[in-house]
Amino acid sequence: MVEIELDGQKVEVAEGSMVMHAAEKSGTYIPHFCYHKKLSIAANCRMCLVDIEKAPKPMPACATPVTQGMIVRTKSDKAIKAQQSVMEFLLINHPLDCPICDQGGECQLQDLAVGYGASASRYGEEKRVVLKKDIGPLISTEEMTRCIHCTRCVRFGQEIGGDMELGMINRGEHSEITTVKGDTVDSELSGNMIDICPVGALTSKPFRYSARTWELSRRKSISPHDSTGANLVVQIKNHKVMRVVPLENEAVNECWIADRDRFSYEALNGDDRLQRPMLKQGGQWQEVDWQTALEYVANGLKCVRDKHGASAIGALVSPHSTLEELHLAATLVRGLGSDNIDHRLRHAEFATPEGVRWLGMPIAALTDLQSVLVLGSNLRKDHPLFAQRIRQAARKGCKVFAINAMAYDWALPATQSVVASADWTQALADVAAAVAQEKGTVAPVVSGKANDEALAIARALLSGERKAILLGNAAAHHAQASSLLALAQWIAQATGATFGYLSEAANTVGAQFVGAQPRQGGLNAAQMLAGQVKALFLLNTEPEFDSAAGANAARGLADVDMVVTLSPFKTNMDISDVLLPIAPFTETSGSFVNAEGRVQSFHAVVRPLGETRPAWKVLRVLANIMALPGVEFESSQDVLNQATAGLEQLTSQQLSNATKAAIDVAHGPAAAPVVASIYQLDGLVRRAPALQLTADARAAREGVVA
């Protein structure tokens, strides 16, 4: 450790730290623009000039290493005059358009100009003008003239996004930030460039000119999309969601969010929202009141139970639903005497569940891995924030290996093995054989062959201390998912690695914990989608898009007597008999359990639209009408307390003990795993106009995998 004196205060920081780091540790603010704690140091704005004793001139705090006994003054006349001079230069070409700037009210330049700017400019010549560029549907560059060349956006793309989509061309006053070739910015994390831009050069296209920052109320929430559980700040005006930005949580999402977390809010205000209960009568949809709709559902359930038995009732639930909703759906179905409930709509194998399939390690630990094997995942698109953590690990030397049905661009150095999905068990068996050969032990599968690729993976996993085997969405949906898990577990135990699932959705882990899948021989998702029930609940799910059945779902459900859809949107209208409008995550309280087993609760940020009701209330009232015991809940917290009894032990319990099952290395054709593309994952992103205009969405519609 090195001790320095900063504004008269003694501060100890690690050797190699910069003066800026010492200032952050001591709580001393030094004005800056180009410095960002998550990005490399550029030292090109010079706003952080400080007075260092014995230095002949002011030095940039962000790029000056600390030395023992250094004396730094951040508020001396020398430092203040230097900072004021830098501000004068920055404002020479900056347009005086603060009253109409979208960044007004949250602009670093505007804030610091108040303290360090002059009342008049000594520069009388014409200001430069930078022409706008169209870089995609998410980021606006209408006012690139405001750019101060801090290069935060450039470094973000290069270091966090993994792809240098923006760069700076020309020199002097002709310098400008651009895509160089006139391309669009297509990173799945691109919206973070808007947040880190310290001026109004990069702004949000969907939000642009829709509200002023001081008009917005801010509420905390949790992302309902992938299993990261990104923390959000939802900004609202007049009970309408206007913008979503990240809430910093170093252990979960750091200070970043994916574009689908940021822009999916557009769907909340779309014309597709379902605002009143609807019944299909004589082939025509009619709006009804809640009492009529719920009594219709209750009578239908009683008729089906009397005629076909309780086992003819089932529920398909989305893993994007809250823990409370999933718990009550399971309670309702089981209270009626059935065990037909499942969240595994995209799966091809439905083994009896043992334990909970989760990440097996803290999310933050992904950044420190020394070697990792990823099986069956388009990591960058399936889990953008996990990918960026592994990207940081790769920058520190982590060896990344992948086994997939095709080669993906993960924007990080990775050794990719392209193996047909039907042969993934064989590929893992080969790795197991290589591990056994290196250790001189016996492999669990005789047919494994220690080829060169398998040996490279085995040697990487056997070296170092921090290593992991991660199974992706395609591995979870695979027809031999249990065998893949068993092999992964054996390899992990033999190499000392951790293993786990990246987990598909916001609440995949929670759905398993609360039992939103058959326990006592009930029907699984594939059987229910094939029409083996007579009454079916669809909670927050659209079988055509969310299940392995796809377009065949309508044919499979044609003979079901009653299909009840609980959704925020007008959907499933061709297969449903009842539509019940339930609240999306912004209009209800609830909880999600992310991939690492962290329970994160949130409150409603706006009031429900129309006659929309929280799904947990709808399910509770329906259970009350059916006279089911134990569902007298007054709040979602009451439901959560019952649902999470014992959940605090989740992170210490093991994954499914799949090694008890036989490892089946099958050969020959097998159905390809069903994996949704990044902007088709759930109903919200599917209905977000800006996201559907992105290159990823276009590629998915054209059948091209990014």
Side-chain angles (χ1 to χ4, degrees):
M1 298 294 284
V2 174
E3 184 180 81
I4 70 168
E5 183 181 307
L6 184 70
D7 289 341
Q9 177 184 354
K10 299 290 185 182
V11 184
E12 275 196 355
V13 289
E15 189 174 353
S17 299
M18 303 296 161
V19 172
M20 184 70 83
H21 300 142
E24 285 181 337
K25 185 173 181 180
S26 68
T28 302
Y29 178 73
I30 299 176
H32 61 273
F33 292 114
C34 68
Y35 172 77
H36 190 282
K37 63 183 179 181
K38 293 292 183 181
L39 302 177
S40 62
I41 292 169
N44 53 12
C45 78
R46 317 307 280 186
M47 191 64 208
C48 64
L49 292 176
V50 293
D51 179 9
I52 297 178
E53 192 169 275
K54 297 182 182 178
K57 59 182 180 179
M59 304 292 287
C62 69
T64 304
V66 295
T67 57
Q68 184 65 37
M70 176 185 277
I71 299 175
V72 181
R73 300 180 184 90
T74 68
K75 296 177 177 62
S76 66
D77 286 344
K78 186 178 180 180
I80 296 295
K81 285 178 180 177
Q83 292 161 357
Q84 289 173 338
S85 296
V86 170
M87 179 59 72
E88 184 177 17
F89 278 115
L90 289 174
L91 293 176
I92 280 176
N93 276 309
H94 198 80
L96 303 178
D97 62 349
C98 289
I100 60 102
C101 177
D102 235 29
Q103 197 86 340
E106 50 187 10
C107 172
Q108 273 183 265
L109 184 66
Q110 189 181 55
D111 294 341
L112 292 179
V114 173
Y116 299 91
S119 57
S121 174
R122 291 184 286 174
Y123 185 80
E125 287 77 11
E126 289 184 1
K127 292 178 180 285
R128 71 171 196 152
V129 174
V130 179
L131 298 178
K132 65 180 182 182
K133 292 98 178 166
D134 184 3
I135 62 171
L138 305 180
I139 303 175
S140 171
T141 60
E142 288 285 330
E143 282 86 23
M144 282 301 286
T145 302
R146 300 171 184 156
C147 179
I148 61 170
H149 305 146
C150 70
T151 68
R152 278 186 178 183
C153 55
V154 177
R155 285 175 286 143
F156 173 84
Q158 199 170 13
E159 298 164 15
I160 306 299
D163 193 356
M164 187 176 168
E165 295 178 289
L166 290 176
M168 188 157 68
I169 60 171
N170 303 325
R171 302 184 67 181
E173 72 167 10
H174 300 294
S175 300
E176 60 179 286
I177 300 292
T178 177
T179 55
V180 183
K181 297 188 298 180
D183 300 333
T184 55
V185 172
D186 299 321
S187 168
E188 60 286 348
L189 299 171
S190 66
N192 293 290
M193 294 180 185
I194 299 167
D195 292 334
I196 63 175
C197 180
V199 296
L202 301 178
T203 54
S204 167
K205 264 190 183 177
F207 173 72
R208 188 175 168 78
Y209 293 144
S210 59
R212 305 297 288 184
T213 180
W214 52 84
E215 299 175 319
L216 301 172
S217 299
R218 291 159 175 79
R219 303 285 185 271
K220 296 177 183 178
S221 193
I222 304 296
S223 168
H225 303 304
D226 64 36
S227 59
T228 307
N231 289 206
L232 311 176
V233 174
V234 181
Q235 302 183 349
I236 62 174
K237 177 184 176 183
N238 297 332
H239 292 282
K240 182 179 179 182
V241 177
M242 306 300 292
R243 183 167 63 169
V244 175
V245 295
L247 174 65
E248 185 170 352
N249 185 332
E250 197 63 27
V252 180
N253 56 297
E254 300 176 88
C255 56
W256 316 120
I257 55 174
D259 286 350
R260 63 182 167 205
D261 302 328
R262 184 183 302 272
F263 296 107
S264 65
Y265 75 88
E266 284 190 289
L268 302 170
N269 307 320
D271 296 333
D272 205 21
R273 283 295 302 273
L274 178 65
Q275 298 191 39
R276 285 175 57 86
M278 300 181 73
L279 295 181
K280 187 187 287 183
Q281 296 178 337
Q284 299 297 315
W285 284 101
Q286 295 182 2
E287 292 186 345
V288 296
D289 58 63
W290 270 104
Q291 184 175 353
T292 303
L294 292 176
E295 286 179 353
Y296 179 91
V297 173
N299 290 332
L301 290 174
K302 289 173 184 173
C303 289
V304 167
R305 187 168 59 177
D306 293 343
K307 186 176 180 181
H308 302 284
S311 60
I313 299 170
L316 295 173
V317 296
S318 169
H320 298 279
S321 300
T322 68
L323 202 66
E324 293 82 352
E325 293 164 0
L326 294 170
H327 175 68
L328 278 172
T331 301
L332 174 63
V333 171
R334 294 194 171 103
L336 293 170
S338 173
D339 192 42
N340 305 332
I341 181 169
D342 211 345
H343 71 278
R344 303 166 297 175
L345 280 80
R346 292 190 174 102
H347 286 223
E349 183 204 71
F350 300 93
T352 304
E354 293 181 48
V356 175
R357 297 182 177 184
W358 58 293
L359 187 61
M361 62 193 299
I363 290 173
L366 294 173
T367 312
D368 299 318
L369 289 174
Q370 295 171 315
S371 57
V372 59
L373 169 62
V374 180
L375 171 71
S377 174
N378 184 358
L379 183 67
R380 180 180 173 186
K381 304 301 180 181
D382 293 347
H383 303 90
L385 294 174
F386 290 171
Q388 82 84 16
R389 283 194 181 268
I390 292 176
R391 190 172 294 123
Q392 303 316 306
R395 288 169 61 85
K396 294 184 285 188
C398 174
K399 296 178 181 178
V400 182
F401 296 89
I403 298 175
N404 278 308
M406 62 181 294
Y408 294 112
D409 177 12
W410 286 357
L412 57 84
T415 303
Q416 301 203 41
S417 301
V418 178
V419 178
S421 58
D423 298 325
W424 285 353
T425 44
Q426 182 63 59
L428 270 193
D430 293 345
V431 175
V435 169
Q437 178 179 306
E438 291 292 300
K439 293 190 69 177
T441 57
V442 180
V445 178
V446 221
S447 62
K449 302 176 182 65
N451 54 46
D452 291 343
E453 288 183 348
L455 280 168
I457 296 172
R459 286 165 184 162
L461 290 175
L462 284 165
S463 64
E465 297 178 356
R466 301 183 300 276
K467 49 255 184 128
I469 301 170
L470 302 175
L471 305 179
N473 295 354
H477 302 161
H478 199 274
Q480 291 179 289
S482 292
S483 293
L484 293 175
L485 176 55
L487 282 163
Q489 187 179 26
W490 187 91
I491 296 168
Q493 289 172 343
T495 59
T498 59
F499 73 103
Y501 280 90
L502 293 165
S503 299
E504 177 182 6
N507 216 8
T508 300
V509 174
Q512 297 172 75
F513 185 82
V514 298
Q517 54 198 19
R519 288 174 173 169
Q520 305 296 330
L523 299 176
N524 59 47
Q527 292 168 326
M528 285 187 271
L529 284 166
Q532 295 185 31
V533 289
K534 291 301 178 182
L536 182 64
F537 287 94
L538 299 175
L539 174 60
N540 245 331
T541 188
E542 302 169 88
E544 181 180 351
F545 306 107
D546 294 332
S547 76
N552 294 325
R555 192 180 311 120
L557 299 177
D559 294 330
V560 177
D561 293 348
M562 184 177 70
V563 177
V564 181
T565 290
L566 294 87
S567 173
F569 304 104
K570 295 175 183 174
T571 185
N572 299 335
M573 299 185 80
D574 54 335
I575 59 176
S576 298
D577 300 286
V578 185
L579 297 181
L580 301 178
I582 60 169
F585 79 106
T586 52
E587 299 169 21
T588 184
S589 55
S591 309
F592 294 128
V593 184
N594 70 358
E596 68 175 1
R598 181 186 296 258
V599 184
Q600 300 186 105
S601 298
F602 54 91
H603 297 287
V605 299
V606 292
R607 62 189 177 206
L609 183 66
E611 293 188 23
T612 298
R613 297 290 181 268
W616 73 266
K617 287 187 177 180
V618 175
L619 292 166
R620 183 206 62 192
V621 172
L622 194 53
N624 290 340
I625 294 174
M626 299 295 293
L628 301 183
V631 286
E632 300 300 326
F633 301 108
E634 294 296 325
S635 67
S636 62
Q637 185 62 45
D638 293 341
V639 186
L640 180 65
N641 292 340
Q642 186 186 88
T644 57
L647 188 58
E648 63 275 4
Q649 276 79 46
L650 174 62
T651 53
S652 63
Q653 72 183 68
Q654 294 297 310
L655 284 163
S656 299
N657 194 4
T659 49
K660 290 180 180 176
I663 299 174
D664 176 25
V665 181
H667 298 279
V674 178
V675 181
S677 65
I678 184 170
Y679 298 134
Q680 291 294 320
L681 181 65
D682 58 71
L684 278 176
V685 294
R686 283 195 286 268
R687 291 172 173 83
L691 293 178
Q692 294 307 314
L693 293 174
T694 59
D696 279 321
R698 291 197 308 272
R701 287 194 294 271
E702 294 164 6
V704 180
V705 179

